[in-house]
Amino acid sequence: MSASDSFPDASAEQEEFEALAPAAAEALASELRRELERHERLYYRDGQPEISDREFDALLRRLETLEGVHPAVRTVDSPTQRVGGEPLEGFEQVPHDPPMLSLDNAYGSEELGEWGGRLDRLLAGDPCHFVAELKVDGVSISLLYEDGVLTQAATRGNGRVGDVVTENVRTIRSVPLRLEGAPARLLVRGEVFMPRSVFAELNEQREQDGLPLYVNPRNTTAGTIRLLDSREVASRRLDCVVYDVAEPTLAETHAEALEALASFGLPVHDGWRRCDALESVETYIEEWEQKRAALDFDTDGVVVKVDELSLREEVGFTSKAPRWAVAYKFEAEQARTRVLEIGAQVGRTGALTPVALLEPVFVAGTTVQRATLHNYEDLARKDVRVGDTVVLEKGGDIIPKVVEVVLDERPEDSEPFIEPEVCPVCGQPLVRFEGEVALRCVNPACPAIVRESVRHFVSRNAMHIEGLGDKLVDQLLNEGLIEDYSSLYSLRAEDLMGLEGWGAKSAQKLLAEIEKSKERGLGPLLHALGIRFVGERVAGILASHFGSLEALRSATHEQLVQVHEIGPKVAESLEAFFAHEGNGERLEKLVSAGVSVEGELAAAGEKPLAGKTIVLTGTLQRLKRREAKAGLEALGARVSGSVSKKTDLLIAGEGAGSKLAKAEELGVEVADEEALEALLGDLG
C-alpha cells in the first residue's frame, strides 16, 4: 500500500468509507492495521523506516476516519488506540503473580565477586554462564499478552500489587499491541522510561510556557505513567524495554528467552551480552560505564543474571530478591559545592534528619540544593560545618548525600555544628532513646509530625485516598481545615470549594475517595496510624489475628508477644500508642466517622486453614485475586507467591503455567476455583 505525502481530504475519505459495505470496511481496516504495524516494527524494532513520519500519520488518520464511520471494525489492538482515550476515574489494582521482586545491589568489583562466590557455594562448583544487561532507570512494568494481544499493563506498585495502566501503555509506540508467534498467554516484565531527548524538549517547552521544570526523566516517567488522561501520556512520548519473561518458560536459558521476545516483536535492548565468567561481565561493565553518557536514556548500572534457568531454580530466592541476579551500580557522579546552612527535617515518628542546604550544583542530571546528612552522629563523624566545601553525590543516582568535607578549603572562622536540643518546628525538647542514634521530637502535636502523619495516613498502602497529595495536605493544614488525620472525615464540600483551584466537581470527587477509604479494613488502618515498627505486613498480621481494633487495644503484653512475628519491641510500641490520650481521641473520632475497625473477614472465630501455605496462580474468573487472598488469610492460611515443598495447596485458575507444573512435580495438592469458593464458604 502506498501513502500520500500529504493528508487526504477528510470529507472525501468519509464519503468513500460511508459507501463501503461492512465486510469491505473490515477488510480495509485489517489491511491498514497490518501496514501500520509493519511500519512500527520497521521503525522501532529494526531501525529501518521505509516512509516518513508524515506518511505514517496519513495512514493512521485514514484508519481513524474508517473506524469513526464503521465503529464495529475498531479493535483493542488497533494502532489508533495509541492516541489515548477519555480520562479515567482512577486505577484498578491487580496482584502480580509471580511477584515483581527487587534486586540486591553490588557496588564495585569486590561486591560483585562476593556475589559470584555465594553463587559458587550454592551451586557446589557447577559452572554457570551470565547475561549482562543495562539497567534502564525508569519505571518497572508488567505486560500481559493473551492470544497475541496486549490485554493488561500494570506498574510494579509494592511488588505484590500494582496499578493497571493499560490505556497509558498502549500509547507507547515501542510496545507492540499485537505479537507475532507468541504463546497464547505471555507475561513479561520491562521498564518504561522517558528518553533524554524527549525530556529536554518537554522542559524546554515548559520553560517557554513559564511552568516549573521537571526534575529528571525517571520522576517524570513515574508521574506520566499514572496520569488519568492517556491523551496526555501519548504526548509525552514514553519508551519501553522488555527484559524478562514471568511466564511461561520460553527456553532453557535467559539469552534464548531474550531472543524469543525480540522475535515476537517486543522491544529488547540489543546491548545485552552473554558472558562465560564474571571477568567478562566486568569488561562489559567497564565498556558501558564509559559509553552510557552517549545513550538517549538514563542507566544507573548493569543487571547480571545467571543464564541457565535450571540453575536459577537451584539457587532460589531470599524473601526480597532472587539469589541468581544482582544489580551492579555504576560509580555515583560527584560534584563539589558549599554548605550554606544545616537544617533539619522532622519525620512522622518524630525522628530528626539533618539536611545540608547547598549552593545549587548540577549532578547526575539534576540541580541539587539540599542533601541528607543521615543523622547527627554521622554529621559529627564527618564534621560538616556551615561554609565548608563538600563532595556531593547521589546514592543510586537518586538521593543527594554529602560524602566528605574538603578540609583544605575550610574557612578559618568555621565552628563545629552543635546538635539541637529542641525541635526546630515546635520548640519542644528532643530526646534520644536508649540504643538509638536518632534524635526525636516526642510532641504528637508538633506540626511537622502531624503533617507527615497525615501524608502517611492517606498514602497508597495505607488508607489510599486518591487525590489527596502532599500539596493539598499542606493546604488543608495551613488553612485550618484539618488538624490531624482523623479530621479528614469531617471535611465538607464547601470547605474544599473555598480553596484556590477547587470547584464542586473536584470537591465531591475527593469526598467520595475519603468516604471509600472508610471500608479499607483494619489492616490498612493500623498501617495508616503510623505506629512505630508496625508496617504494612505487621499491620496485616495483627488485623488477621485480633479481628478488631477493640480486641487489639485490650490485648495484654503477653497476648501480643504470642502472635507470630510480634516481638517485645512491637508490643511495647503498640501499648505506648494506645495508652496515649491524644491517640485514643483520634481513634474515637475515626470510629464515630464510620471508619471500619474490623479485620477483613478476620473475625470469623475458627481458622480452619491455620498453618497451611497456599499459592494462587492463573486467572480467576469470578473472584478478584486480592479478595481470594484476603479470604484465605482470614481463614488462617499463609498465601505465598511461589511453590515449594512447604506448599500445602495450589489454587490453579485459567492459564496456570510454571507454578502448576512445579506443584505437580513436587506432589502438591492442586485445586480449581470452584474448590477455592468452597473453602471461602467457611467464612459464611
Side-chain angles (χ1 to χ4, degrees):
M1 174 176 292
S2 63
S4 168
D5 196 41
S6 62
F7 289 120
D9 180 76
S11 59
E13 271 193 341
Q14 183 140 344
E15 288 179 13
E16 173 194 347
F17 296 149
E18 285 172 349
L20 291 177
E26 176 62 49
L28 178 57
S30 296
E31 184 182 356
L32 285 168
R33 282 197 297 270
R34 282 195 300 272
E35 186 71 357
L36 284 162
E37 288 163 3
R38 186 175 75 83
H39 286 302
E40 284 186 330
R41 287 196 299 274
L42 286 168
Y43 186 92
Y44 289 103
R45 187 180 71 181
D46 303 334
Q48 298 177 336
E50 288 182 353
I51 61 177
S52 68
D53 289 349
R54 186 173 182 81
E55 290 173 312
F56 181 91
D57 290 341
L59 277 176
L60 184 62
R61 178 173 167 174
R62 183 168 170 79
L63 178 58
E64 285 176 338
T65 305
L66 176 59
E67 290 177 347
V69 175
H70 296 275
V73 306
R74 185 183 293 118
T75 61
V76 294
D77 61 324
S78 171
T80 61
Q81 301 306 293
R82 294 196 186 280
V83 299
E86 290 300 311
L88 302 171
E89 290 296 320
F91 293 110
E92 273 184 69
Q93 290 195 311
V94 64
H96 292 305
D97 182 17
M100 296 181 72
L101 298 177
S102 56
L103 294 175
D104 288 332
N105 295 326
Y107 296 92
S109 296
E110 185 176 338
E111 290 189 13
L112 182 64
E114 290 171 358
W115 173 76
R118 289 194 295 273
L119 271 181
D120 279 342
R121 290 191 292 275
L122 289 167
L123 294 172
D126 285 349
C128 71
H129 299 84
F130 303 96
V131 170
E133 308 166 48
L134 282 174
K135 185 175 181 294
V136 178
D137 194 15
V139 174
S140 295
I141 202 80
S142 179
L143 305 175
L144 176 62
Y145 287 86
E146 295 175 300
D147 296 323
V149 176
L150 177 66
T151 56
Q152 181 178 280
T155 63
R156 181 182 181 277
N158 61 13
R160 299 183 301 279
V161 176
D163 289 328
V164 176
V165 289
T166 313
E167 298 306 312
N168 289 347
V169 170
R170 282 195 178 117
T171 70
I172 302 174
R173 292 194 176 275
S174 56
V175 176
L177 301 178
R178 177 180 289 277
L179 302 181
E180 298 175 345
R185 186 178 191 276
L186 179 66
L187 183 63
V188 298
R189 303 282 164 74
E191 198 86 357
V192 171
F193 64 94
M194 179 173 284
R196 288 172 170 171
S197 55
V198 174
F199 178 75
E201 290 174 20
L202 184 61
N203 262 350
E204 185 178 343
Q205 185 60 52
R206 290 182 70 82
E207 188 169 26
Q208 291 174 7
D209 295 341
L211 297 171
L213 301 188
Y214 290 125
V215 176
N216 57 47
R218 186 189 184 284
N219 288 0
T220 309
T221 301
T224 300
I225 202 65
R226 296 197 71 259
L227 289 173
L228 294 176
D229 190 342
S230 57
R231 293 168 298 192
E232 175 67 16
V233 179
S235 73
R236 301 283 183 89
R237 292 151 52 203
L238 297 178
D239 208 336
C240 182
V241 291
V242 169
Y243 55 73
D244 202 10
V245 185
E247 61 178 35
T249 302
L250 296 178
E252 294 184 357
T253 69
H254 181 59
E256 292 168 344
L258 289 176
E259 289 170 349
L261 292 176
S263 73
F264 301 152
L266 285 159
V268 177
H269 188 262
D270 58 8
W272 65 271
R273 184 182 301 169
R274 189 173 190 268
C275 303
D276 293 334
L278 278 186
E279 288 77 10
S280 303
V281 171
E282 291 191 34
T283 301
Y284 176 92
I285 290 169
E286 289 169 7
E287 289 175 9
W288 279 108
E289 198 150 20
Q290 299 302 315
K291 295 191 299 183
R292 64 173 173 147
L295 293 167
D296 195 29
F297 58 82
D298 287 343
T299 173
D300 59 352
V302 169
V303 177
V304 187
K305 304 171 183 175
V306 171
D307 189 29
E308 294 84 358
L309 303 191
S310 60
L311 297 182
R312 292 185 182 186
E313 288 278 337
E314 196 172 323
V315 299
F317 300 79
T318 67
S319 60
K320 295 181 179 178
R323 293 190 178 94
W324 43 261
V326 70
Y328 179 97
K329 291 301 188 83
F330 290 138
E331 286 288 331
E333 185 180 328
Q334 294 186 335
R336 286 189 178 196
T337 187
R338 193 166 65 89
V339 178
L340 302 178
E341 187 181 338
I342 296 176
Q345 291 179 178
V346 183
R348 64 181 173 85
T349 64
L352 266 68
T353 301
V355 176
L357 306 181
L358 311 163
E359 284 186 348
V361 61
F362 192 80
V363 56
T366 61
T367 299
V368 174
Q369 294 178 274
R370 296 162 62 89
T372 179
L373 294 165
H374 301 298
N375 55 60
Y376 289 99
E377 188 177 89
D378 189 54
L379 189 160
R381 180 179 58 79
K382 291 176 179 173
D383 190 19
V384 181
R385 305 180 185 185
V386 173
D388 276 346
T389 297
V390 294
V391 177
L392 186 75
E393 72 175 34
K394 284 188 177 180
D397 280 352
I398 297 174
I399 303 171
K401 62 182 179 181
V402 172
V403 180
E404 62 178 329
V405 175
V406 183
L407 293 175
D408 292 346
E409 299 183 25
R410 169 168 282 171
E412 291 183 5
D413 60 349
S414 74
E415 296 181 359
F417 181 81
I418 300 173
E419 68 178 40
E421 296 181 353
V422 298
C423 174
V425 178
C426 69
Q428 293 295 304
L430 298 171
V431 299
R432 179 177 279 118
F433 294 118
E434 186 178 350
E436 290 192 1
V437 172
L439 274 177
R440 292 184 187 276
C441 173
V442 292
N443 172 20
C446 173
I449 295 176
V450 171
R451 181 179 65 251
E452 294 304 321
S453 67
V454 175
R455 288 177 173 183
H456 174 70
F457 186 87
V458 305
S459 64
R460 179 173 305 272
N461 294 331
M463 297 304 275
H464 192 187
I465 301 178
E466 195 79 52
L468 196 46
D470 291 352
K471 287 184 179 178
L472 180 55
V473 168
D474 289 346
Q475 195 175 16
L476 293 174
L477 287 166
N478 293 339
E479 296 289 337
L481 296 177
I482 61 171
E483 56 187 21
D484 55 37
Y485 53 73
S486 65
S487 51
L488 288 168
Y489 296 95
S490 302
L491 281 172
R492 301 169 303 166
E494 49 265 39
D495 296 332
L496 296 166
M497 288 165 61
L499 299 175
E500 184 180 349
W502 281 75
K505 187 174 180 181
S506 53
Q508 289 299 337
K509 188 174 180 180
L510 178 60
L511 291 177
E513 284 292 326
I514 293 173
E515 187 67 24
K516 189 163 63 174
S517 75
K518 294 179 180 180
E519 303 305 319
R520 299 284 183 229
L522 181 58
L525 174 61
L526 290 175
H527 181 220
L529 294 176
I531 306 168
R532 287 191 72 200
F533 311 125
V534 179
E536 187 180 2
R537 176 170 171 73
V538 170
I541 290 169
L542 291 167
S544 178
H545 183 88
F546 290 100
S548 73
L549 180 63
E550 189 53 42
L552 176 60
R553 290 179 72 174
S554 60
T556 65
H557 184 86
E558 290 70 26
Q559 289 171 326
L560 288 169
V561 296
Q562 285 172 6
V563 179
H564 179 58
E565 295 191 40
I566 305 301
K569 283 180 70 174
V570 177
E572 289 165 8
S573 179
L574 285 162
E575 290 170 307
F577 180 87
F578 289 128
H580 191 280
E581 183 179 350
N583 291 332
E585 291 174 358
R586 282 184 281 275
L587 290 174
E588 292 305 320
K589 286 175 69 175
L590 292 175
V591 172
S592 298
V595 175
S596 173
V597 291
E598 302 296 319
E600 289 186 9
L601 308 172
E606 293 185 17
K607 297 187 182 294
L609 299 180
K612 301 291 185 184
T613 298
I614 297 177
V615 174
L616 294 164
T617 190
T619 303
L620 300 177
Q621 298 302 308
R622 294 178 295 276
L623 281 172
K624 290 184 178 178
R625 181 71 66 94
R626 61 178 176 272
E627 292 172 348
K629 182 175 183 290
L632 291 168
E633 288 176 341
L635 292 171
R638 176 180 176 269
V639 180
S640 172
S642 58
V643 177
S644 70
K645 292 178 182 178
K646 295 181 180 179
T647 303
D648 296 292
L649 176 67
L650 177 86
I651 304 293
E654 287 190 14
S658 56
K659 291 182 183 178
L660 175 59
K662 186 169 184 180
E664 290 171 341
E665 180 187 328
L666 295 174
V668 172
E669 183 183 351
V670 177
D672 57 15
E673 187 172 356
E674 190 175 334
L676 170 63
E677 290 176 337
L679 276 175
L680 298 182
D682 290 340
L683 291 167

